[in-house]
Amino acid sequence: AQSVTQLDSHVSVSEGTPVLLRCNYSSSYSPSLFWYVQHPNKGLQLLLKYTSAATLVKGINGFEAEFKKSETSFHLTKPSAHMSDAAEYFCVVSERGATNKLIFGTGTLLAVQP
Amino acid sequence: DTAVSQTPKYLVTQMGNDKSIKCEQNLGHDTMYWYKQDSKKFLKIMFSYNNKELIINETVPNRFSPKSPDKAHLNLHINSLELGDSAVYFCASSQGTGAGDTQYFGPGTRLTVL
């Protein structure tokens, strides 16, 4: 079965410094991977997705993620954090089959200090 | 012109009551989903419909019953509400059921059972 593990439940950075949110996946085949963001009391918004094309995926708001098969990782990065980036981030894998069932990680809460 | 909308946004009710949450998407998608987010922010799929046909039915109590009157609507009816049903329920939609098909989420319905 596919799964994702988010290695940090909380990450705190200072405004203007880089962001790194870590995600490892488990899959017996080439997975479809996503990062979603959830701002307080809001729905989920897609940041980016990987579907076996380019391994470096660029998303919205300056975020990007790199698919590394050898490390089974899909870490999310941003060069410079903004206060508005403070939110919960979810790494997600789509289960193989004809249902598009998403398996969510446990989330990483990003805090951005002024 | 909200893509995926849910009503109500907040729902407070007593144990034992029956309630419904409605979801509508105007994206022309064929597939809709219901997710439950618990108090620890963990998200789990509950149901999915494709062209009004049930394709995902996770292990949820049979007090929960989805209804899809047409492709643009997916409602969730909950009978005999229990304290443990308190959560945020998210509706989502996607064009199809392929593993790379992006799911677009609604704003959520916060259900509180007293």
Side-chain angles (χ1 to χ4, degrees):
Chain A
Q2 292 75 48
S3 66
V4 287
T5 302
Q6 293 185 243
L7 300 168
D8 307 293
S9 59
H10 291 83
V11 170
S12 182
V13 300
S14 298
E15 193 174 19
T17 64
V19 175
L20 170 63
L21 305 183
R22 299 182 296 164
C23 174
N24 286 349
Y25 69 90
S26 173
S27 177
S28 56
Y29 64 100
S30 184
S32 293
L33 292 160
F34 308 78
W35 277 98
Y36 279 87
V37 61
Q38 184 179 24
H39 287 93
N41 298 313
K42 299 287 187 185
L44 290 97
Q45 181 183 21
L46 179 70
L47 280 177
L48 50 82
K49 70 177 182 180
Y50 167 78
T51 54
S52 73
T55 55
L56 183 61
V57 182
K58 293 189 183 299
I60 61 171
N61 300 334
F63 285 96
E64 63 181 38
E66 187 170 7
F67 175 76
K68 291 187 177 180
K69 186 175 179 179
S70 60
E71 299 176 10
T72 62
S73 69
F74 189 58
H75 301 335
L76 183 70
T77 60
K78 182 173 180 177
S80 175
H82 294 176
M83 296 296 291
S84 59
D85 293 329
E88 189 89 30
Y89 291 78
F90 294 96
C91 182
V92 184
V93 64
S94 178
E95 193 173 84
R96 191 177 197 182
T99 63
N100 199 15
K101 177 181 172 181
L102 296 184
I103 309 296
F104 281 77
T106 49
T108 298
L109 182 62
L110 175 66
V112 182
Q113 309 299 328
Chain B
D1 59 343
T2 304
V4 183
S5 59
Q6 296 178 228
T7 53
K9 188 171 175 62
Y10 299 97
L11 185 51
V12 181
T13 188
Q14 300 286 333
M15 269 197 311
N17 283 351
D18 302 340
K19 291 294 179 185
S20 290
I21 306 171
K22 296 187 175 184
C23 178
E24 176 180 2
Q25 55 94 4
N26 63 7
L27 297 168
H29 288 166
D30 289 340
T31 311
M32 297 183 72
Y33 311 79
W34 277 111
Y35 289 85
K36 179 180 180 180
Q37 185 174 48
D38 64 22
S39 59
K40 296 185 178 180
K41 296 291 184 75
F42 184 65
L43 275 144
K44 195 170 189 303
I45 182 76
M46 300 174 69
F47 302 104
S48 171
Y49 272 77
N50 179 251
N51 283 320
K52 296 171 53 181
E53 179 185 350
L54 183 66
I55 59 169
I56 296 177
N57 186 358
E58 289 292 291
T59 308
V60 299
N62 57 15
R63 299 180 294 103
F64 289 78
S65 54
K67 293 283 193 305
S68 181
D70 55 57
K71 287 197 310 182
H73 297 85
L74 181 61
N75 303 323
L76 183 64
H77 189 74
I78 316 170
N79 289 328
S80 304
L81 278 155
E82 299 178 358
L83 293 176
D85 297 332
S86 295
V88 182
Y89 293 84
F90 286 99
C91 177
S93 74
S94 65
Q95 183 59 56
T97 58
D101 284 354
T102 300
Q103 293 187 26
Y104 296 87
F105 284 78
T109 295
R110 183 175 295 276
L111 171 64
T112 303
V113 182
L114 304 175

